[in-house]
Amino acid sequence: MGRKCLLQQLLDSNVRQIMQLSPSGAMSLFVLRRLLADIMRGLYVLHATGFVHADLKPDNLLWSAQDGCLKVIDFSLSFHCEDKVVGLIQSQGYRAPEVTTWNANRQKQVQIDLFSATTDEVKPCSACDMWSVGCILVEMFSSSKLFTQNRLKEIFPSHVRAPLKFIFSIFILSLKNCRMPTKALLTCQLELLNPNPGLRLSACEALLHPALATPFPGPDYADLLVLPSPILRMMNLTENLTNEDAVKEAEEDVHQMCSQFGSVLQCFACRSGQGQGKIFVHFSYAHQAVTAFHSLSSVTYNGHSVILTYFPLDSWHQRQLF
């Protein structure tokens, strides 16, 4: 009899590691909104089934280069809204005010019937996940953790829920010396950090919020270096080529060059539009694209240095090349 094993997808960098790729430690608006939208879509599905993650933090949000999206991991503290027994939940620094009170009571009584909660506490629900996202969002934008140990003592004295003015003051402190977010993003952050869980944004409402519903700004060069994908965008190869035969030859050369790093599904030189002059290489697996990226970053072609970035998987499938 063989042993049963748990097979899990190998993911890439977590949100904290992605932040560290930026010299300032803060994410660009494009990357931030891209990841925030993925988080909200995941929570929308999770909360619609009645489940609460209960331990959202940067370390539990991992980028999947193969699928081109952010994924939520570690459901060890998750529970269903109808569960009668809920223990200690959420990590310090990302813990909602109502959960601070809940955990304090759980420490007095490890297991308690959810429906016999005391009158001065709020039952944990999906809103506590949204608070965590608000904390993560501030950290993604400012590179500063919103609730450090010292700030927690100021904001949650004796496990009492924080007034909104305290939340706002700490939020502004975290953004000191950082570029201010758009008005819509600031509003979204404050609505996620509402001390009243009943008034906090839901995942569905967040997806419809102007912070995410308005068109995304296009990525710049640095943005396309942060989130790996199975697609490589190669520049400085065919921009000055006007002869179709020369472009086809460049396509073939790039295909051969990249095939040594893995299976190439398609090698395409864009001949019109915003992507004109660029060659896009679609590998079977993202790790092959990553290997090619690092190996080809210093090569030259016809006397020109090859400039490489990753390319968003969704834009590739929609043929929105740039």
Side-chain angles (χ1 to χ4, degrees):
M1 295 292 291
R3 292 184 177 180
K4 293 182 179 180
C5 64
L6 181 63
L7 184 64
Q8 295 179 312
Q9 182 183 10
L10 179 62
L11 299 176
D12 300 276
S13 303
N14 62 41
V15 165
R16 196 180 307 282
Q17 292 168 328
I18 294 173
M19 287 190 290
Q20 293 171 351
L21 295 176
S22 170
S24 66
M27 291 183 180
S28 70
L29 188 59
F30 171 82
V31 175
L32 186 152
R33 293 180 71 193
R34 173 68 185 269
L35 299 186
L36 180 61
D38 285 344
I39 295 171
M40 292 305 180
R41 280 191 285 264
L43 290 181
Y44 172 74
V45 174
L46 181 68
H47 293 168
T49 63
F51 283 94
V52 179
H53 184 277
D55 195 23
L56 289 174
K57 53 187 176 182
D59 296 333
N60 286 343
L61 299 167
L62 271 65
W63 177 253
S64 171
Q66 187 65 31
D67 298 321
C69 65
L70 198 68
K71 297 193 175 185
V72 181
I73 67 166
D74 192 357
F75 288 78
S76 58
L77 297 182
S78 63
F79 63 91
H80 195 275
C81 291
E82 295 181 359
D83 286 349
K84 293 187 176 182
V85 177
V86 178
L88 302 177
I89 58 174
Q90 295 197 302
S91 297
Q92 184 169 288
Y94 307 94
R95 188 177 299 153
E98 67 273 14
V99 174
T100 300
T101 302
W102 180 267
N103 283 356
N105 290 338
R106 298 298 78 70
Q107 289 173 334
K108 299 175 184 177
Q109 184 179 357
V110 177
Q111 289 189 340
I112 188 169
D113 189 323
L114 188 64
F115 298 102
S116 64
T118 58
T119 56
D120 63 340
E121 67 178 353
V122 178
K123 301 171 188 176
C125 63
S126 59
C128 70
D129 280 344
M130 305 311 293
W131 174 278
S132 299
V133 175
C135 297
I136 295 168
L137 181 55
V138 174
E139 192 169 345
M140 289 163 65
F141 192 89
S142 68
S143 75
S144 175
K145 191 172 181 179
L146 182 56
F147 296 120
T148 62
Q149 183 63 35
N150 290 335
R151 293 176 188 171
L152 283 170
K153 292 179 180 178
E154 296 173 4
I155 294 177
F156 299 125
S158 303
H159 305 293
V160 176
R161 287 194 293 276
L164 185 58
K165 63 180 181 180
F166 285 168
I167 300 294
F168 186 80
S169 65
I170 296 301
F171 171 75
I172 295 300
L173 179 62
S174 292
L175 292 180
K176 187 177 181 181
N177 299 325
C178 295
R179 65 200 191 289
M180 285 299 292
T182 63
K183 182 179 179 180
L185 186 58
L186 174 59
T187 303
C188 180
Q189 288 171 327
L190 290 176
E191 291 177 2
L192 287 169
L193 293 171
N194 194 313
N196 185 339
L199 299 178
R200 214 169 287 156
L201 275 184
S202 67
C204 180
E205 291 169 336
L207 287 170
L208 298 175
H209 195 280
L212 291 179
T214 53
F216 277 40
D220 58 24
Y221 172 78
D223 291 333
L224 296 180
L225 301 176
V226 173
L227 302 176
S229 81
I231 318 293
L232 285 187
R233 183 182 68 166
M234 307 181 74
M235 299 177 288
N236 209 27
L237 295 175
T238 66
E239 282 85 343
N240 298 321
L241 298 180
T242 57
N243 185 289
E244 176 62 21
D245 291 337
V247 174
K248 287 184 177 180
E249 182 181 355
E251 268 183 334
E252 294 172 358
D253 290 343
V254 169
H255 188 285
Q256 182 177 2
M257 186 189 311
C258 291
S259 293
Q260 61 183 310
F261 304 105
S263 173
V264 175
L265 299 178
Q266 186 177 6
C267 181
F268 174 70
C270 189
R271 293 162 171 80
S272 62
Q274 293 184 347
Q276 183 174 1
K278 302 176 179 67
I279 295 181
F280 299 84
V281 184
H282 186 187
F283 287 87
S284 295
Y285 299 101
H287 70 85
Q288 298 170 343
V290 172
T291 302
F293 175 86
H294 291 293
S295 300
L296 299 176
S297 293
S298 59
V299 303
T300 59
Y301 181 80
N302 286 341
H304 299 283
S305 297
V306 177
I307 301 175
L308 291 167
T309 71
Y310 299 107
F311 193 74
L313 194 58
D314 53 351
S315 296
W316 170 256
H317 288 317
Q318 297 168 15
R319 279 299 187 266
Q320 296 176 350
L321 306 181
F322 49 84

